[in-house]
Amino acid sequence: MSDASIPSSDNSEDEFNDDLDLSTLDDAELTAQMHDDLYDGMGEEIGEGTQILLGRGWSAEETLNKALVAGMKVVGDDFRDGILFVPEVLLAANAMKVGMEILRPLLAETGVEAVGRVVIGTVKGDIHDIGKNLVGMMLEGAGFEVVDLGINTDVDSFLDALDEHNADILGMSALLTTTMPYMKVVIDTLIERGKRDDYIVIVGGAPLNEEFSLAVGADAYCSDAAIAAETAKTLVDERRAALAAS
Ligand code: B1M
């Protein structure tokens, strides 16, 4: 919980949250409360808070950045630091999705650009998707548009989706030592087709490491979802800065 938590009068936080009328809070109190609610995975409250801010004239972009993305940053940092664990992060990410669903059509209307677009999938032969889903949610939380191809994704599906969605980043996940080499198949095919430099490639999954990612020709290995979101943002920023300078 952040320092900005509003004190409970009866020592029962759950009861307090049930009773709390979000519409009585001013903007600063409400965004702080929403950060806490995200942290606690309270989707209904996130939806309500999002609607209240929009009703007060906040833009979709401001609501996204100040109420949701800022709250998810705390979740991501605490996940990275071992303070939060997978179940809590999944709950927070699901709560975030409630707010995102409300904002998504408004953001599309106002033409607010996503930070970047990511095509992500678990590689061919592999059906593990919990970690990949978490990465997708954290990327969305960081402002990326995510195209999730699901599990057992073959090279043609990856390449077609990159092309179709004009993606900035290809993200591949693998949990099996037998499936992780397939990442090289995908990257080699990008090279063969002269498209490797068109995309940033990030990879992750429990059996991978930095050395493996270098060996297959990826741009970055990400050990967890929070690092994946941070790395994606850094690499997209660097790439845009390099393009602008050239
Ligand atoms: Co399987 N499984 N499994 N499994 N499974 C493992 C991976 C295993 C290590 C278990 C073990 O033996 N100790 C082992 C692999 C051994 C190996 O290859 N060295 C294994 C095996 C052998 C198998 C089967 C072959 C079992 C069998 O049928 N005999 C089979 C394979 C099926 C297939 O894929 N073809 C199988 C099946 C399954 C289930 C279906 C039962 C289930 C998957 C359910 C699902 O995903 N929907 C399952 C599960 C749950 C696991 C374990 C227990 C947990 C995996 C998990 O979800 N972790 C796993 C043991 C383990 O890892 N301790 C195991 C939580 C998740 C949040 O972490 O996925 O690592 P993780 O993701 C992290 C990071 O790795 C990273 O960020 C995530 C969040 O921080 N990350 C990325 C992941 N992808 C990323 C992508 C990025 C960046 C970061 O950028 C794009």
Side-chain angles (χ1 to χ4, degrees):
M1 303 281 284
S2 80
D3 293 343
S5 270
I6 296 159
S8 166
S9 56
D10 61 2
N11 295 330
S12 161
E13 191 179 316
D14 286 347
E15 240 176 78
F16 172 67
N17 278 334
D18 282 346
D19 292 344
L20 181 61
D21 180 356
L22 294 178
S23 65
T24 61
L25 305 179
D26 68 25
D27 288 3
E29 289 170 336
L30 179 55
T31 48
Q33 184 61 39
M34 286 174 73
H35 297 169
D36 286 350
D37 288 343
L38 260 183
Y39 200 96
D40 294 336
M42 298 166 73
E44 202 179 312
E45 286 74 5
I46 290 301
E48 196 188 332
T50 302
Q51 297 284 20
I52 292 170
L53 288 173
L54 292 172
R56 289 180 188 174
W58 280 44
S59 69
E61 190 181 12
E62 195 179 17
T63 308
L64 174 70
N65 290 330
K66 292 190 181 164
L68 301 183
V69 174
M72 271 310 272
K73 170 125 187 21
V74 182
V75 174
D77 289 349
D78 280 4
F79 181 49
R80 181 197 58 211
D81 296 341
I83 297 164
L84 285 182
F85 296 95
V86 170
E88 289 112 317
V89 178
L90 284 174
L91 281 174
N94 282 332
M96 166 101 185
K97 281 200 155 184
V98 177
M100 291 288 293
E101 288 311 316
I102 296 167
L103 295 178
R104 189 166 284 138
L106 302 171
L107 290 167
E109 253 171 41
T110 53
V112 172
E113 283 284 311
V115 174
R117 200 167 292 131
V118 184
V119 163
I120 192 170
T122 302
V123 298
K124 187 176 171 187
D126 200 320
I127 63 167
H128 295 86
D129 68 355
I130 297 169
K132 183 262 300 165
N133 292 347
L134 203 50
V135 172
M137 288 176 185
M138 292 298 286
L139 285 167
E140 280 196 340
F144 283 91
E145 189 181 321
V146 175
V147 179
D148 188 343
L149 304 181
I151 56 173
N152 195 24
T153 310
D154 66 15
V155 59
D156 288 330
S157 305
F158 276 123
L159 267 58
D160 289 350
L162 287 169
D163 201 26
E164 182 188 340
H165 299 283
N166 193 21
D168 303 286
I169 299 183
L170 164 62
M172 292 186 282
S173 178
L175 263 287
L176 300 172
T177 46
T178 50
T179 57
M180 55 194 244
Y182 196 76
M183 293 176 171
K184 183 159 164 47
V185 173
V186 178
I187 294 173
D188 284 352
T189 309
L190 277 175
I191 295 169
E192 275 162 28
R193 297 191 190 171
K195 293 189 163 182
R196 174 63 186 89
D197 292 340
D198 295 351
Y199 309 107
I200 294 160
V201 181
I202 61 171
V203 295
L208 276 66
N209 57 30
E210 190 76 46
E211 199 184 353
F212 173 82
S213 95
L214 287 174
V216 297
D219 293 301
Y221 157 70
C222 308
S223 58
D224 67 38
I227 290 174
E230 274 175 26
T231 306
K233 177 97 179 55
T234 305
L235 292 177
V236 163
D237 287 348
E238 282 175 6
R239 188 184 166 96
R240 291 197 178 140
L243 282 173
S246 66

